Amino acid sequence: MKAERQRPLVVLDTNIWISAALSREGCPAQLARAVLGLGQPVFSEATFAELQTRLWLPKFDRYISMELRHSILHDLRAAGQWIRVPEGIASQSFCRDASDDMFIHAALAAQAEWLITGDHDLLAVKPLPGLRILTAQEALEQLFL
C-alpha cells in the first residue's frame, strides 16, 4: 500500500490572491487554483486580515463585485489551514519591509514549503531553510513536481 502524498502547504501573499480575483485567467489565478486543488493554502490571523482589508478597498469596486468578495473570503476561510504564529517566530525580522514579515512568519509556523509573492521585498529575503520564496510564474513552473 502506497503512502498518500501530503498536500504541500503554501502561503500566498495578498497580492497573489487579489491578482487572481482581478484576472481569472492570469498566472496568479492559475496558481491559486493549483494551490486550492493540489496544495493547502495557509493563513494566519494577520495574513487573512490583510487580505480582507485590501479586498474591500473601494479601488476594486469596478472590478470585483461585493458578492464575489464575500464568496472569495468565505471559500478561502474554509479552505485554508489556519495557524497560530508562536511569539518566538513572530518576534523575528526577515524582510526589509517589516509589514511583509507576517507572510514569512505564517510559512515558518506552518512549516510551509512555499511562499508565493509578487512583492520584491519578500523576493529579496535571504534563503531560509525549508522555505522557497517564489513568484507566481516560478511557482507554476515548479509547484507539485
Coordinates of all heavy atoms in Angstrom, one line a residue, residues 40-138:
Q40 N -2.4 23.1 0.0 CA -3.1 23.6 1.1 C -2.7 25.0 1.4 O -1.6 25.2 1.8 CB -2.9 22.7 2.3 CG -3.6 23.1 3.6 CD -5.1 22.8 3.5 OE1 -5.5 21.7 3.2 NE2 -5.9 23.8 3.7
P41 N -3.6 26.0 1.2 CA -3.2 27.4 1.5 C -3.2 27.6 3.0 O -4.0 27.0 3.7 CB -4.4 28.2 0.9 CG -5.5 27.3 0.8 CD -5.0 25.9 0.6
V42 N -2.3 28.4 3.4 CA -2.0 28.6 4.9 C -2.4 30.1 5.2 O -1.9 31.0 4.4 CB -0.6 28.3 5.3 CG1 -0.3 28.7 6.7 CG2 -0.3 26.8 5.0
F43 N -3.1 30.3 6.3 CA -3.4 31.6 6.7 C -3.1 31.8 8.2 O -3.3 30.8 9.0 CB -4.9 32.0 6.5 CG -5.3 32.1 5.1 CD1 -6.0 31.1 4.5 CD2 -4.9 33.2 4.3 CE1 -6.4 31.1 3.2 CE2 -5.3 33.3 3.0 CZ -6.0 32.3 2.4
S44 N -2.6 32.9 8.6 CA -2.6 33.3 10.0 C -3.6 34.4 10.1 O -4.2 34.9 9.1 CB -1.2 33.9 10.4 OG -1.0 35.1 9.7
E45 N -4.0 34.8 11.3 CA -4.9 35.9 11.6 C -4.5 37.1 10.8 O -5.2 37.8 10.2 CB -5.1 36.2 13.1 CG -5.6 35.0 13.8 CD -7.1 35.1 14.2 OE1 -7.6 36.2 14.0 OE2 -7.7 34.1 14.5
A46 N -3.2 37.4 10.9 CA -2.6 38.6 10.3 C -2.7 38.6 8.8 O -3.1 39.6 8.1 CB -1.2 38.9 10.7
T47 N -2.3 37.5 8.2 CA -2.3 37.4 6.7 C -3.8 37.5 6.1 O -4.0 38.1 5.1 CB -1.6 36.2 6.1 OG1 -2.2 35.0 6.6 CG2 -0.1 36.2 6.6
F48 N -4.7 36.8 6.8 CA -6.1 36.9 6.4 C -6.7 38.2 6.6 O -7.4 38.7 5.7 CB -6.9 35.8 7.0 CG -8.2 35.5 6.3 CD1 -8.3 34.7 5.2 CD2 -9.4 36.1 6.7 CE1 -9.4 34.5 4.5 CE2 -10.6 35.9 6.1 CZ -10.6 35.1 5.0
A49 N -6.3 38.9 7.7 CA -6.8 40.2 7.9 C -6.4 41.2 6.9 O -7.1 42.1 6.4 CB -6.4 40.7 9.3
E50 N -5.1 41.1 6.4 CA -4.6 41.9 5.4 C -5.4 41.7 4.1 O -5.8 42.6 3.4 CB -3.2 41.8 5.1 CG -2.7 42.7 4.0 CD -1.2 42.6 3.6 OE1 -0.4 43.3 4.3 OE2 -0.9 41.8 2.7
L51 N -5.6 40.4 3.7 CA -6.4 40.1 2.5 C -7.8 40.7 2.6 O -8.3 41.3 1.7 CB -6.5 38.6 2.3 CG -7.4 38.1 1.2 CD1 -6.9 38.7 -0.1 CD2 -7.5 36.6 1.2
Q52 N -8.4 40.5 3.7 CA -9.8 41.0 3.9 C -9.8 42.6 3.8 O -10.7 43.1 3.1 CB -10.2 40.6 5.3 CG -11.7 40.5 5.5 CD -12.0 39.8 6.8 OE1 -11.2 39.6 7.7 NE2 -13.2 39.4 7.0
T53 N -8.9 43.2 4.4 CA -8.9 44.7 4.4 C -8.6 45.2 3.0 O -9.3 46.1 2.5 CB -7.7 45.2 5.3 OG1 -8.0 44.8 6.6 CG2 -7.6 46.7 5.3
R54 N -7.6 44.6 2.3 CA -7.3 45.1 0.9 C -8.4 44.7 -0.1 O -8.7 45.5 -1.0 CB -6.0 44.4 0.5 CG -4.8 44.8 1.3 CD -4.1 46.0 0.8 NE -3.1 46.5 1.8 CZ -1.9 46.0 1.9 NH1 -1.4 45.1 1.1 NH2 -1.1 46.6 2.8
L55 N -9.0 43.6 0.1 CA -10.1 43.2 -0.9 C -11.3 44.1 -0.8 O -11.9 44.3 -1.9 CB -10.5 41.7 -0.6 CG -11.2 41.0 -1.7 CD1 -10.5 41.0 -3.0 CD2 -11.5 39.6 -1.2
W56 N -11.5 44.7 0.3 CA -12.6 45.7 0.4 C -12.3 47.1 0.0 O -13.2 48.0 0.1 CB -13.2 45.6 1.9 CG -13.9 44.4 2.2 CD1 -13.5 43.4 3.1 CD2 -15.1 43.9 1.6 NE1 -14.4 42.4 3.0 CE2 -15.4 42.6 2.1 CE3 -15.9 44.4 0.6 CZ2 -16.5 41.8 1.8 CZ3 -17.0 43.6 0.2 CH2 -17.3 42.4 0.8
L57 N -11.1 47.4 -0.4 CA -10.8 48.7 -0.8 C -11.7 49.2 -2.0 O -11.9 48.4 -2.9 CB -9.3 48.8 -1.2 CG -8.2 48.7 -0.1 CD1 -6.8 48.7 -0.7 CD2 -8.4 49.8 0.9
P58 N -12.1 50.4 -1.9 CA -13.0 50.9 -3.0 C -12.4 50.9 -4.4 O -13.1 50.8 -5.4 CB -13.3 52.4 -2.6 CG -13.0 52.4 -1.1 CD -12.0 51.4 -0.8
K59 N -11.1 50.9 -4.5 CA -10.5 50.9 -5.8 C -10.8 49.6 -6.6 O -10.6 49.6 -7.8 CB -9.0 51.1 -5.7 CG -8.2 49.9 -5.1 CD -6.7 50.3 -5.1 CE -5.8 49.2 -4.5 NZ -4.4 49.6 -4.5
F60 N -11.3 48.6 -5.9 CA -11.6 47.3 -6.6 C -13.1 47.2 -6.9 O -13.5 46.2 -7.5 CB -11.2 46.1 -5.8 CG -9.7 46.0 -5.5 CD1 -9.2 46.0 -4.3 CD2 -8.8 46.0 -6.6 CE1 -7.8 45.9 -4.1 CE2 -7.4 45.9 -6.4 CZ -6.9 45.9 -5.1
D61 N -13.9 48.2 -6.6 CA -15.3 48.2 -6.8 C -15.7 48.0 -8.2 O -16.7 47.3 -8.5 CB -16.0 49.5 -6.3 CG -16.0 49.5 -4.8 OD1 -15.7 48.6 -4.1 OD2 -16.4 50.6 -4.2
R62 N -14.9 48.5 -9.2 CA -15.2 48.4 -10.6 C -14.9 47.0 -11.1 O -15.4 46.6 -12.2 CB -14.4 49.4 -11.4 CG -14.7 50.8 -11.1 CD -13.8 51.8 -11.9 NE -12.8 51.2 -12.8 CZ -12.1 52.0 -13.6 NH1 -12.3 53.3 -13.6 NH2 -11.2 51.4 -14.4
Y63 N -14.1 46.3 -10.4 CA -13.6 45.0 -10.9 C -14.1 43.8 -10.2 O -14.1 42.7 -10.9 CB -12.0 45.0 -10.8 CG -11.4 46.2 -11.4 CD1 -10.9 47.2 -10.6 CD2 -11.3 46.4 -12.8 CE1 -10.3 48.4 -11.1 CE2 -10.8 47.5 -13.4 CZ -10.2 48.5 -12.5 OH -9.7 49.7 -13.1
I64 N -14.4 43.9 -9.0 CA -14.8 42.7 -8.2 C -16.1 43.1 -7.4 O -16.1 44.0 -6.6 CB -13.7 42.3 -7.2 CG1 -12.4 42.2 -7.8 CG2 -14.1 41.0 -6.5 CD1 -11.2 42.0 -6.8
S65 N -17.2 42.3 -7.7 CA -18.4 42.6 -7.1 C -18.4 42.3 -5.6 O -17.5 41.5 -5.1 CB -19.5 41.7 -7.7 OG -19.4 40.4 -7.4
M66 N -19.3 42.9 -4.8 CA -19.3 42.6 -3.4 C -19.6 41.1 -3.1 O -19.1 40.5 -2.3 CB -20.4 43.5 -2.7 CG -20.1 44.9 -2.8 SD -18.6 45.3 -1.9 CE -18.4 47.0 -2.4
E67 N -20.5 40.6 -4.0 CA -20.8 39.2 -3.8 C -19.6 38.3 -4.0 O -19.4 37.3 -3.3 CB -21.9 38.8 -4.9 CG -22.4 37.4 -4.8 CD -23.5 37.0 -5.8 OE1 -24.2 38.0 -6.3 OE2 -23.6 35.8 -6.1
L68 N -18.8 38.6 -5.1 CA -17.6 37.8 -5.3 C -16.6 37.9 -4.2 O -16.0 37.0 -3.8 CB -17.0 38.2 -6.6 CG -15.7 37.4 -7.0 CD1 -16.0 35.9 -7.0 CD2 -15.2 37.9 -8.4
R69 N -16.5 39.1 -3.6 CA -15.6 39.3 -2.5 C -16.0 38.5 -1.3 O -15.1 37.8 -0.7 CB -15.5 40.8 -2.1 CG -14.8 41.6 -3.1 CD -14.8 43.1 -2.7 NE -15.2 43.9 -3.8 CZ -15.0 45.2 -3.9 NH1 -14.3 45.8 -2.9 NH2 -15.4 45.9 -4.9
H70 N -17.3 38.5 -1.0 CA -17.8 37.7 0.1 C -17.5 36.2 -0.2 O -17.0 35.5 0.7 CB -19.3 37.9 0.3 CG -19.7 39.1 1.0 ND1 -19.5 39.2 2.4 CD2 -20.3 40.2 0.6 CE1 -19.9 40.4 2.8 NE2 -20.4 41.0 1.8
S71 N -17.7 35.8 -1.4 CA -17.5 34.4 -1.7 C -16.0 34.0 -1.6 O -15.7 32.9 -1.1 CB -18.0 34.2 -3.2 OG -17.8 32.8 -3.6
I72 N -15.1 34.8 -2.1 CA -13.7 34.6 -2.0 C -13.3 34.4 -0.6 O -12.6 33.4 -0.2 CB -12.9 35.7 -2.7 CG1 -13.1 35.6 -4.2 CG2 -11.4 35.6 -2.3 CD1 -12.5 36.9 -5.0
L73 N -13.7 35.4 0.3 CA -13.3 35.3 1.7 C -13.9 34.1 2.4 O -13.2 33.4 3.1 CB -13.6 36.6 2.4 CG -12.8 37.8 1.9 CD1 -13.4 39.1 2.5 CD2 -11.4 37.7 2.2
H74 N -15.1 33.8 2.1 CA -15.8 32.6 2.7 C -15.0 31.3 2.3 O -14.7 30.5 3.1 CB -17.2 32.6 2.3 CG -17.9 31.4 2.7 ND1 -18.0 30.2 2.0 CD2 -18.6 31.1 3.9 CE1 -18.6 29.3 2.6 NE2 -19.0 29.8 3.8
D75 N -14.8 31.2 1.0 CA -14.2 30.0 0.5 C -12.7 29.8 1.0 O -12.3 28.7 1.3 CB -14.2 30.0 -1.0 CG -15.6 29.8 -1.6 OD1 -16.6 29.6 -0.8 OD2 -15.8 30.0 -2.8
L76 N -12.0 30.9 1.0 CA -10.6 30.8 1.5 C -10.5 30.5 3.0 O -9.7 29.8 3.4 CB -9.8 32.1 1.1 CG -9.5 32.3 -0.3 CD1 -8.8 33.6 -0.6 CD2 -8.8 31.1 -0.9
R77 N -11.5 31.1 3.7 CA -11.5 30.9 5.2 C -11.7 29.4 5.4 O -11.1 28.8 6.3 CB -12.6 31.7 5.8 CG -12.6 31.6 7.3 CD -13.8 32.4 8.0 NE -13.9 33.8 7.5 CZ -13.2 34.8 8.0 NH1 -12.4 34.6 9.0 NH2 -13.4 36.0 7.6
A78 N -12.6 28.8 4.6 CA -12.9 27.4 4.8 C -11.8 26.5 4.3 O -11.5 25.4 4.8 CB -14.2 27.0 4.0
A79 N -11.2 26.9 3.2 CA -10.1 26.0 2.5 C -8.8 26.1 3.2 O -8.0 25.2 3.1 CB -10.0 26.4 1.1
G80 N -8.5 27.2 3.9 CA -7.2 27.4 4.5 C -6.9 26.5 5.7 O -7.7 26.1 6.4
Q81 N -5.6 26.3 5.8 CA -5.1 25.8 7.1 C -4.7 26.9 7.9 O -3.9 27.8 7.5 CB -3.9 24.9 6.9 CG -3.3 24.4 8.2 CD -2.3 23.3 8.0 OE1 -2.4 22.4 7.1 NE2 -1.3 23.2 8.9
W82 N -5.3 27.0 9.1 CA -5.1 28.2 10.0 C -4.0 27.8 11.0 O -4.1 26.8 11.6 CB -6.4 28.5 10.7 CG -7.4 29.2 9.7 CD1 -8.2 28.5 8.8 CD2 -7.5 30.5 9.4 NE1 -8.8 29.4 8.0 CE2 -8.4 30.7 8.4 CE3 -6.9 31.7 10.0 CZ2 -8.8 31.9 7.9 CZ3 -7.3 32.9 9.5 CH2 -8.2 33.0 8.5
I83 N -3.1 28.8 11.2 CA -2.0 28.5 12.1 C -1.9 29.7 13.1 O -2.3 30.8 12.7 CB -0.7 28.3 11.4 CG1 -0.3 29.3 10.4 CG2 -0.7 26.9 10.7 CD1 0.5 30.4 10.9
R84 N -1.4 29.4 14.2 CA -1.1 30.5 15.2 C 0.4 30.6 15.1 O 1.2 29.6 15.2 CB -1.5 30.1 16.6 CG -1.4 31.2 17.6 CD -1.7 30.7 19.0 NE -0.7 29.7 19.5 CZ 0.5 30.0 19.9 NH1 1.0 31.3 19.8 NH2 1.3 29.1 20.4
V85 N 0.9 31.9 15.0 CA 2.3 32.1 14.9 C 2.9 32.3 16.4 O 2.5 33.2 17.1 CB 2.6 33.4 14.1 CG1 4.1 33.6 14.1 CG2 2.1 33.2 12.7
P86 N 3.8 31.4 16.8 CA 4.3 31.5 18.1 C 5.2 32.8 18.3 O 5.8 33.2 17.3 CB 5.2 30.2 18.2 CG 4.8 29.3 17.1 CD 4.2 30.2 16.1
E87 N 5.3 33.3 19.4 CA 6.0 34.5 19.7 C 7.4 34.4 19.3 O 8.0 35.4 18.8 CB 5.9 34.9 21.2 CG 6.6 36.2 21.5 CD 6.1 37.4 20.7 OE1 4.9 37.5 20.5 OE2 6.9 38.2 20.4
G88 N 8.0 33.2 19.4 CA 9.4 33.1 19.0 C 9.7 33.3 17.5 O 10.7 33.7 17.1
I89 N 8.7 33.0 16.7 CA 8.7 33.2 15.3 C 8.3 34.7 15.0 O 8.9 35.4 14.2 CB 7.9 32.2 14.5 CG1 8.5 30.8 14.6 CG2 7.8 32.7 13.0 CD1 7.7 29.7 14.0
A90 N 7.2 35.1 15.6 CA 6.6 36.4 15.4 C 7.6 37.6 15.7 O 7.5 38.7 15.1 CB 5.3 36.6 16.1
S91 N 8.5 37.3 16.6 CA 9.5 38.4 17.0 C 10.7 38.5 16.1 O 11.5 39.4 16.2 CB 10.0 38.1 18.4 OG 10.7 36.9 18.5
Q92 N 10.8 37.6 15.1 CA 11.9 37.6 14.2 C 11.7 38.6 13.0 O 10.5 38.6 12.5 CB 12.2 36.2 13.7 CG 12.7 35.3 14.8 CD 13.0 33.9 14.2 OE1 13.7 33.8 13.2 NE2 12.4 32.9 14.8
S93 N 12.7 39.2 12.5 CA 12.6 40.0 11.3 C 13.4 39.4 10.2 O 14.5 38.9 10.4 CB 13.3 41.4 11.6 OG 12.5 42.1 12.6
F94 N 12.8 39.4 9.0 CA 13.4 38.8 7.8 C 13.5 39.7 6.7 O 14.4 39.6 5.8 CB 12.6 37.5 7.4 CG 12.6 36.4 8.5 CD1 11.5 36.3 9.3 CD2 13.7 35.5 8.6 CE1 11.5 35.4 10.3 CE2 13.6 34.6 9.6 CZ 12.5 34.5 10.4
C95 N 12.5 40.6 6.6 CA 12.3 41.4 5.3 C 12.6 42.8 5.5 O 12.4 43.4 6.6 CB 10.8 41.2 5.0 SG 10.4 41.8 3.4
R96 N 13.1 43.5 4.5 CA 13.4 44.9 4.6 C 12.1 45.7 4.8 O 12.2 46.8 5.3 CB 14.2 45.4 3.4 CG 13.5 45.2 2.1 CD 14.4 45.5 0.9 NE 13.7 45.3 -0.4 CZ 14.3 45.0 -1.5 NH1 15.6 44.9 -1.5 NH2 13.6 44.8 -2.6
D97 N 10.9 45.2 4.5 CA 9.7 45.8 4.8 C 9.0 45.0 5.9 O 8.5 43.9 5.7 CB 8.8 45.9 3.6 CG 7.4 46.5 3.9 OD1 7.1 46.8 5.1 OD2 6.6 46.7 2.9
A98 N 9.1 45.5 7.2 CA 8.7 44.7 8.3 C 7.2 44.2 8.2 O 6.8 43.2 8.8 CB 8.9 45.5 9.6
S99 N 6.4 45.0 7.5 CA 5.0 44.6 7.3 C 4.8 43.3 6.5 O 3.7 42.7 6.6 CB 4.1 45.7 6.7 OG 4.5 45.9 5.4
D100 N 5.8 42.9 5.8 CA 5.7 41.7 5.0 C 6.2 40.5 5.8 O 6.0 39.3 5.3 CB 6.6 41.8 3.7 CG 6.0 42.8 2.7 OD1 4.8 42.9 2.7 OD2 6.8 43.4 2.0
D101 N 6.8 40.7 6.9 CA 7.3 39.5 7.7 C 6.2 38.6 8.1 O 6.4 37.4 8.3 CB 8.0 40.0 9.0 CG 9.4 40.4 8.8 OD1 10.1 39.9 7.8 OD2 10.0 41.2 9.6
M102 N 4.9 39.1 8.2 CA 3.8 38.2 8.6 C 3.7 37.0 7.7 O 3.2 35.9 8.1 CB 2.5 39.0 8.7 CG 1.9 39.4 7.4 SD 0.4 40.2 7.7 CE 0.5 41.6 6.6
F103 N 4.0 37.1 6.4 CA 3.9 36.0 5.5 C 5.0 35.0 5.7 O 4.7 33.8 5.7 CB 3.9 36.5 4.0 CG 2.8 37.4 3.7 CD1 2.9 38.8 3.7 CD2 1.5 36.8 3.5 CE1 1.8 39.6 3.4 CE2 0.4 37.6 3.2 CZ 0.6 39.0 3.2
I104 N 6.2 35.4 6.1 CA 7.3 34.5 6.4 C 6.9 33.9 7.8 O 7.1 32.6 7.9 CB 8.6 35.3 6.5 CG1 9.0 35.8 5.1 CG2 9.7 34.3 7.0 CD1 10.2 36.7 5.0
H105 N 6.4 34.6 8.7 CA 6.1 34.1 10.0 C 5.0 32.9 9.8 O 5.2 31.9 10.4 CB 5.5 35.1 10.9 CG 6.5 36.2 11.3 ND1 6.1 37.5 11.7 CD2 7.8 36.2 11.3 CE1 7.1 38.2 12.0 NE2 8.2 37.5 11.7
A106 N 4.0 33.2 9.0 CA 3.0 32.2 8.8 C 3.6 30.9 8.1 O 3.3 29.8 8.5 CB 1.9 32.7 7.9
A107 N 4.5 31.1 7.1 CA 5.1 30.0 6.5 C 6.0 29.2 7.4 O 5.9 27.9 7.4 CB 5.9 30.5 5.3
L108 N 6.7 29.9 8.2 CA 7.6 29.2 9.2 C 6.8 28.4 10.2 O 7.1 27.3 10.6 CB 8.6 30.1 9.8 CG 9.6 30.7 8.9 CD1 10.5 31.7 9.6 CD2 10.5 29.7 8.2
A109 N 5.7 29.1 10.8 CA 4.9 28.5 11.8 C 4.2 27.2 11.3 O 4.1 26.2 12.0 CB 3.9 29.5 12.3
A110 N 3.8 27.2 10.0 CA 3.1 26.1 9.4 C 4.1 25.1 8.8 O 3.7 24.0 8.4 CB 2.2 26.6 8.3
Q111 N 5.4 25.4 8.8 CA 6.4 24.6 8.1 C 6.0 24.4 6.6 O 6.1 23.3 6.1 CB 6.6 23.3 8.8 CG 7.2 23.4 10.2 CD 7.4 22.1 10.9 OE1 6.8 21.1 10.6 NE2 8.3 22.2 11.9
A112 N 5.5 25.5 6.1 CA 5.1 25.5 4.6 C 6.4 25.4 3.8 O 7.4 26.0 4.2 CB 4.3 26.8 4.3
E113 N 6.2 24.8 2.6 CA 7.4 24.7 1.7 C 7.5 25.9 0.8 O 8.6 26.1 0.2 CB 7.2 23.4 0.9 CG 7.1 22.1 1.7 CD 6.6 21.0 0.8 OE1 7.1 20.8 -0.3 OE2 5.7 20.2 1.3
W114 N 6.4 26.6 0.6 CA 6.3 27.6 -0.4 C 5.7 28.9 0.1 O 4.7 28.9 0.8 CB 5.4 27.2 -1.6 CG 5.8 25.8 -2.2 CD1 5.5 24.6 -1.7 CD2 6.5 25.6 -3.4 NE1 6.0 23.6 -2.5 CE2 6.6 24.2 -3.6 CE3 7.1 26.5 -4.3 CZ2 7.2 23.6 -4.6 CZ3 7.7 25.9 -5.4 CH2 7.8 24.5 -5.6
L115 N 6.3 30.0 -0.3 CA 5.7 31.3 -0.1 C 5.7 32.0 -1.5 O 6.8 32.2 -2.1 CB 6.5 32.2 0.9 CG 6.2 33.7 1.0 CD1 4.7 33.9 1.3 CD2 7.1 34.3 2.1
I116 N 4.6 32.3 -2.0 CA 4.4 32.8 -3.3 C 4.0 34.3 -3.2 O 3.0 34.6 -2.6 CB 3.4 32.0 -4.1 CG1 3.5 30.5 -4.0 CG2 3.4 32.5 -5.6 CD1 4.9 30.0 -4.3
T117 N 4.7 35.1 -4.0 CA 4.5 36.6 -3.8 C 4.9 37.3 -5.1 O 5.7 36.8 -5.9 CB 5.3 37.1 -2.6 OG1 5.0 38.5 -2.5 CG2 6.8 37.0 -2.8
G118 N 4.4 38.5 -5.2 CA 4.9 39.4 -6.3 C 5.6 40.6 -5.7 O 6.0 41.5 -6.4
D119 N 5.8 40.5 -4.4 CA 6.4 41.6 -3.6 C 8.0 41.5 -3.7 O 8.5 40.5 -3.2 CB 5.9 41.6 -2.2 CG 6.4 42.7 -1.3 OD1 7.6 43.1 -1.3 OD2 5.5 43.3 -0.6
H120 N 8.6 42.5 -4.2 CA 10.1 42.5 -4.3 C 10.8 42.4 -3.0 O 11.9 41.9 -2.9 CB 10.5 43.7 -5.2 CG 10.1 43.6 -6.6 ND1 10.5 42.7 -7.5 CD2 9.1 44.4 -7.2 CE1 9.9 42.9 -8.6 NE2 9.0 43.9 -8.5
D121 N 10.2 43.0 -2.0 CA 10.8 42.9 -0.6 C 10.9 41.5 -0.1 O 11.9 41.0 0.4 CB 10.1 43.8 0.4 CG 10.3 45.3 0.1 OD1 11.3 45.7 -0.4 OD2 9.3 46.0 0.3
L122 N 9.8 40.7 -0.3 CA 9.8 39.3 0.1 C 10.7 38.5 -0.8 O 11.4 37.6 -0.4 CB 8.4 38.7 0.0 CG 7.5 39.1 1.2 CD1 6.1 38.8 1.0 CD2 8.0 38.5 2.5
L123 N 10.7 38.8 -2.1 CA 11.6 38.0 -3.0 C 13.0 38.2 -2.8 O 13.9 37.4 -3.2 CB 11.2 38.4 -4.5 CG 9.8 37.9 -5.0 CD1 9.4 38.6 -6.3 CD2 9.8 36.4 -5.1
A124 N 13.4 39.3 -2.1 CA 14.8 39.7 -1.8 C 15.3 39.1 -0.5 O 16.5 39.2 -0.2 CB 15.0 41.2 -1.8
V125 N 14.4 38.4 0.2 CA 14.8 37.8 1.5 C 15.8 36.7 1.3 O 15.7 35.9 0.3 CB 13.6 37.2 2.2 CG1 13.9 36.3 3.4 CG2 12.6 38.3 2.7
K126 N 16.8 36.7 2.1 CA 17.9 35.6 2.1 C 17.2 34.3 2.2 O 16.2 34.1 3.0 CB 18.9 35.8 3.1 CG 19.7 37.1 2.9 CD 20.8 37.3 4.0 CE 21.5 38.6 3.8 NZ 22.4 38.9 4.9
P127 N 17.7 33.3 1.5 CA 17.1 31.9 1.6 C 17.0 31.4 3.1 O 17.9 31.6 3.9 CB 18.1 31.0 0.9 CG 18.8 32.0 -0.1 CD 18.9 33.3 0.7
L128 N 15.8 30.8 3.3 CA 15.5 30.3 4.6 C 15.4 28.7 4.5 O 14.8 28.3 3.5 CB 14.2 30.8 5.2 CG 14.2 32.3 5.4 CD1 12.8 32.9 5.6 CD2 15.0 32.6 6.7
P129 N 16.0 28.0 5.4 CA 15.9 26.5 5.3 C 14.5 26.0 5.2 O 13.6 26.4 6.0 CB 16.6 26.0 6.6 CG 17.3 27.2 7.1 CD 16.6 28.4 6.6
G130 N 14.2 25.2 4.2 CA 12.9 24.6 4.0 C 11.8 25.4 3.4 O 10.7 24.9 3.2
L131 N 12.1 26.7 3.1 CA 11.1 27.6 2.5 C 11.6 28.2 1.2 O 12.7 28.8 1.2 CB 10.8 28.7 3.5 CG 9.7 29.7 3.0 CD1 8.4 29.1 2.8 CD2 9.6 30.9 4.1
R132 N 10.8 28.0 0.2 CA 11.1 28.6 -1.1 C 10.2 29.8 -1.3 O 9.0 29.7 -1.2 CB 10.9 27.6 -2.2 CG 11.8 26.4 -2.0 CD 11.7 25.4 -3.1 NE 12.3 26.0 -4.3 CZ 12.1 25.4 -5.5 NH1 11.4 24.3 -5.6 NH2 12.7 26.0 -6.5
I133 N 10.8 31.0 -1.6 CA 10.0 32.2 -1.8 C 10.1 32.5 -3.3 O 11.2 32.7 -3.9 CB 10.5 33.4 -1.0 CG1 10.5 33.1 0.5 CG2 9.7 34.7 -1.3 CD1 11.1 34.1 1.4
L134 N 9.0 32.4 -4.0 CA 8.9 32.4 -5.5 C 7.8 33.4 -6.0 O 6.9 33.7 -5.3 CB 8.6 31.0 -6.0 CG 9.5 29.9 -5.6 CD1 8.9 28.5 -6.0 CD2 10.9 30.0 -6.2
T135 N 8.0 33.8 -7.2 CA 6.9 34.5 -7.9 C 5.9 33.5 -8.3 O 6.1 32.3 -8.3 CB 7.4 35.2 -9.2 OG1 7.9 34.2 -10.1 CG2 8.6 36.2 -8.8
A136 N 4.7 34.0 -8.7 CA 3.6 33.1 -9.2 C 4.1 32.3 -10.4 O 3.8 31.1 -10.5 CB 2.4 33.9 -9.5
Q137 N 4.8 32.9 -11.3 CA 5.3 32.2 -12.5 C 6.3 31.1 -12.2 O 6.2 30.0 -12.7 CB 5.9 33.2 -13.5 CG 6.4 32.6 -14.8 CD 5.2 32.1 -15.6 OE1 4.2 32.7 -15.8 NE2 5.3 30.8 -16.1
E138 N 7.2 31.5 -11.3 CA 8.2 30.4 -10.9 C 7.5 29.3 -10.2 O 7.8 28.1 -10.5 CB 9.2 31.0 -9.9 CG 10.2 32.0 -10.6 CD 11.0 32.8 -9.5 OE1 10.5 33.0 -8.4 OE2 12.1 33.2 -9.9

